[in-house]
Amino acid sequence: MSERLVVIGSQWGDEGKGKMTDYFACRADMVVRYQGGNNAGHSVVFDGKKYSLQSIPSGIFNPKTVNVMGNGMVVNPVSVIAELEKLHDQGITDYQLYISDRAAMVMPWHADLDGAFEAKKGKGLIGTTKKGIGPAYSDKYSRVGLRMGDLLEPEYFAERLNAALEIKNIELESYGLPKYEFQPVYDRYMEIARILGPRITDTSKLINEALRSDAKILFEGAQGMMLCIDHGTYPYVTSSTPSAASVPVGAGISPKWIDNVLGVAKAYCTRVGEGPFPTELFGEQAHEIRERGHEYGTVTGRPRRIGWFDAVVARYVARLAGIDNWALMLFDVLSGLDTVKICTGYECDGEILDAPPSTIARLAKCKPVLIEMPGWKEDITDVTEFEDLPQAAKDYVRKIEEITEVPVGMISVGPDRKQTITISEKLANF
Ligand code: GDP
Ligand code: IMO
Ligand code: MG
């Protein structure tokens, strides 16, 4: 029977999912992305080189691993080709990659509309990646979207493209944006079909075949639970569900297969884009952590906002996504601070809340209840065993476990594959 592991982001994205997926991908037969698109930016570092992936799964560096872009994703084929070209330039030429024929396609007008919606929102803008993710998911659910499999049937593609353009051109015009002509789009996408066509297939079939064998399968989440369209800080969220719960739908498998969820969380918090962030730090302290952690967006280069570890969020996410273990990331970044803090509750209108409220109006009023613990000065970037961490660092880990009631199964002490401490036996044996 196969072994499965779901790697999900547990905060506001950029927790280090790429690093953890790559770490396990060395041993995995298959890596599957099941939601999101090229709004993701997953960094992988090994042998002194750094790679950045947007829509391609982080198993791409292991020639033996089958990489799958599942039906739950929104796939921008132009971006996929550009990513593959970049990987080729970096010497990554031997890989296996398949794209679901059911995956929604991100078209050029989606990015145009993403930009236009944001511009219209003025001060209330979401701060999206402007990759067209929201408009592409909206079209999927409005049933006017194109799908990757359509590229394989030129006549059907033409029909769908005509239908989409009829509606999209009205929308584009209403925003004062240029319209799209059928023929140039059609020709361009037929060229794309020639390049990517051989990779487009019924990926649910591939995954289910792997599930029925002894395969080790990793499901790589994108974004983070607080950006979830259902459970995140709505409307300052992305347009998909990063939870382990979206794996079955987004990969085309039965939910019964999901039984091992690794919640990737930074040892502090970051957020890019707008929206409330209860433990946010400002000034010198935020600056110090941002610089040490190189906290600038992989996709947009924006400086990431910085905050203390939010255990209210962690408990909420553990409840929603069934986290079995935390992977506590960027732990090295906290070395050198005099004290470190953890948020254990939110104080709001004289009440202490133990979970985020549903509206951002209320969340914006929440003040973090913080506990303060001694920091540690030692450089921990070479530590490979939990026991060798400074006592204060161990205490910090134990406190997170105690408050969240979820064990810390992995600790990351640097961006490189090797800078990883594995505590959980189950994860060590994956
Ligand atoms: P993802 O979107 O969740 O895959 O995360 P990103 O790749 O966008 O952002 C995480 C950043 O932290 C990347 O630059 C990683 O190389 C880096 N990183 C990951 N783990 C560690 C760690 O333990 N320590 C440090 N210093 N950097 C890390
Ligand atoms: P990874 O997979 C961090 C944020 C954007 C914005 C909001 C909506 O690298 O963790 P969108 O373009 O999705 O409509 O933007 O979500 N966002 C991310 N933040 N990491 C990501 O992905 C993100 N993907 C989207 O900044 O606030
Ligand atoms: Mg990222």
Side-chain angles (χ1 to χ4, degrees):
M1 197 54 82
S2 79
E3 244 189 281
R4 289 87 48 203
L5 177 63
V6 184
V7 175
I8 66 158
S10 310
Q11 293 157 332
W12 283 273
D14 300 327
E15 298 91 347
K17 297 174 293 293
K19 166 168 172 170
M20 287 325 299
T21 307
D22 167 70
Y23 178 84
F24 287 108
C26 304
R27 288 170 268 164
D29 299 292
M30 187 175 263
V31 177
V32 183
R33 275 274 311 263
Y34 56 91
Q35 46 74 233
N38 62 335
N39 48 347
H42 294 184
S43 317
V44 173
V45 181
F46 59 91
D47 296 341
K49 282 199 209 152
K50 182 167 182 165
Y51 303 87
S52 166
L53 300 165
Q54 273 84 62
S55 39
I56 291 177
S58 299
I60 201 76
F61 307 101
N62 181 359
K64 293 204 185 98
T65 305
V66 176
N67 290 275
V68 175
M69 296 170 60
N71 57 278
M73 288 187 77
V74 285
V75 177
N76 181 335
V78 177
S79 152
V80 173
I81 292 170
E83 264 185 271
L84 289 174
E85 281 172 358
K86 194 169 160 206
L87 286 171
H88 274 241
D89 292 346
Q90 291 177 293
I92 309 300
T93 51
D94 188 10
Y95 52 79
Q96 302 181 60
L97 176 70
Y98 295 98
I99 306 171
S100 169
D101 49 10
R102 269 90 167 164
M105 198 160 25
V106 183
M107 300 303 284
W109 46 86
H110 290 135
D112 302 344
L113 291 167
D114 198 348
F117 292 158
E118 285 283 271
K120 278 272 178 289
K121 285 192 192 111
K123 243 184 79 201
L125 92 173
I126 308 280
T128 73
T129 58
K130 300 212 178 106
K131 300 287 181 190
I133 304 302
Y137 272 117
S138 299
D139 277 1
K140 166 176 172 168
Y141 289 102
S142 304
R143 293 154 293 181
V144 294
L146 292 140
R147 308 205 297 183
M148 289 302 288
D150 301 355
L151 291 172
L152 304 179
E153 295 176 42
E155 273 179 39
Y156 180 68
F157 178 74
E159 217 178 281
R160 295 291 298 164
L161 178 60
N162 255 322
L165 283 179
E166 227 168 90
I167 296 168
K168 293 290 116 182
N169 276 336
I170 297 171
E171 226 176 302
L172 288 162
E173 209 175 7
S174 73
Y175 281 100
L177 293 167
K179 295 200 272 186
Y180 284 85
E181 298 288 337
F182 172 85
Q183 202 60 47
V185 178
Y186 179 82
D187 292 347
R188 185 158 189 226
Y189 279 79
M190 284 303 102
E191 175 60 16
I192 287 170
R194 202 185 52 74
I195 302 167
L196 291 182
R199 302 188 186 280
I200 303 172
T201 188
D202 179 352
T203 50
S204 155
K205 205 161 160 230
L206 283 183
I207 304 167
N208 277 279
E209 277 161 11
L211 284 168
R212 272 182 259 106
S213 71
D214 284 334
K216 286 191 178 183
I217 309 178
L218 270 177
F219 295 95
E220 177 181 13
Q223 289 79 53
M225 279 302 291
M226 294 312 282
L227 293 171
C228 173
I229 187 79
D230 278 80
H231 303 289
T233 50
Y234 190 89
Y236 293 98
V237 291
T238 190
S239 300
S240 66
T241 301
S243 177
S246 92
V247 171
V249 180
I253 65 167
S254 160
K256 74 177 183 198
W257 294 107
I258 306 305
D259 60 359
N260 194 3
V261 184
L262 182 64
V264 184
K266 278 178 180 162
Y268 47 98
C269 279
T270 62
R271 170 162 209 172
V272 260
E274 306 305 314
F277 184 12
T279 66
E280 185 162 15
L281 289 166
F282 300 92
E284 195 43 44
Q285 213 157 24
H287 177 76
E288 196 182 336
I289 296 177
R290 182 178 302 114
E291 293 310 310
R292 278 160 184 276
H294 306 288
E295 294 292 3
Y296 294 87
T298 319
V299 177
T300 56
R302 291 176 288 179
R304 294 177 184 144
R305 298 156 67 191
I306 311 286
W308 291 120
F309 186 87
D310 190 334
V312 177
V313 160
R315 271 194 311 252
Y316 175 66
V317 168
R319 179 230 296 174
L320 292 166
I323 309 279
D324 294 292
N325 282 278
W326 298 120
L328 198 65
M329 310 299 289
L330 290 101
F331 200 35
D332 52 303
V333 174
L334 295 185
S335 292
L337 299 180
D338 292 332
T339 59
V340 282
K341 293 182 188 173
I342 299 174
C343 168
T344 57
Y346 294 159
E347 202 251 291
C348 186
D349 297 329
E351 246 187 289
I352 301 292
L353 309 182
D354 67 353
S358 72
T359 69
I360 52 158
R362 191 136 199 254
L363 185 57
K365 287 201 267 170
C366 289
K367 301 264 174 298
V369 178
L370 296 165
I371 54 164
E372 188 165 15
M373 300 179 68
W376 56 94
K377 299 286 176 194
E378 295 88 335
D379 176 353
I380 58 170
T381 53
D382 288 328
V383 175
T384 53
E385 298 291 330
F386 181 75
E387 285 315 316
D388 297 336
L389 286 170
Q391 191 55 46
K394 283 192 270 196
D395 292 345
Y396 184 74
V397 172
R398 294 298 179 222
K399 186 54 85 179
I400 287 176
E401 292 183 317
E402 182 194 314
I403 303 172
T404 62
E405 296 175 30
V406 173
V408 172
M410 320 264 317
I411 298 175
S412 175
V413 291
D416 196 274
R417 236 182 227 173
K418 291 197 203 108
Q419 293 172 296
T420 311
I421 302 172
T422 308
I423 304 168
S424 149
E425 211 165 298
K426 192 171 175 191
L427 292 170
N429 291 330
F430 180 87

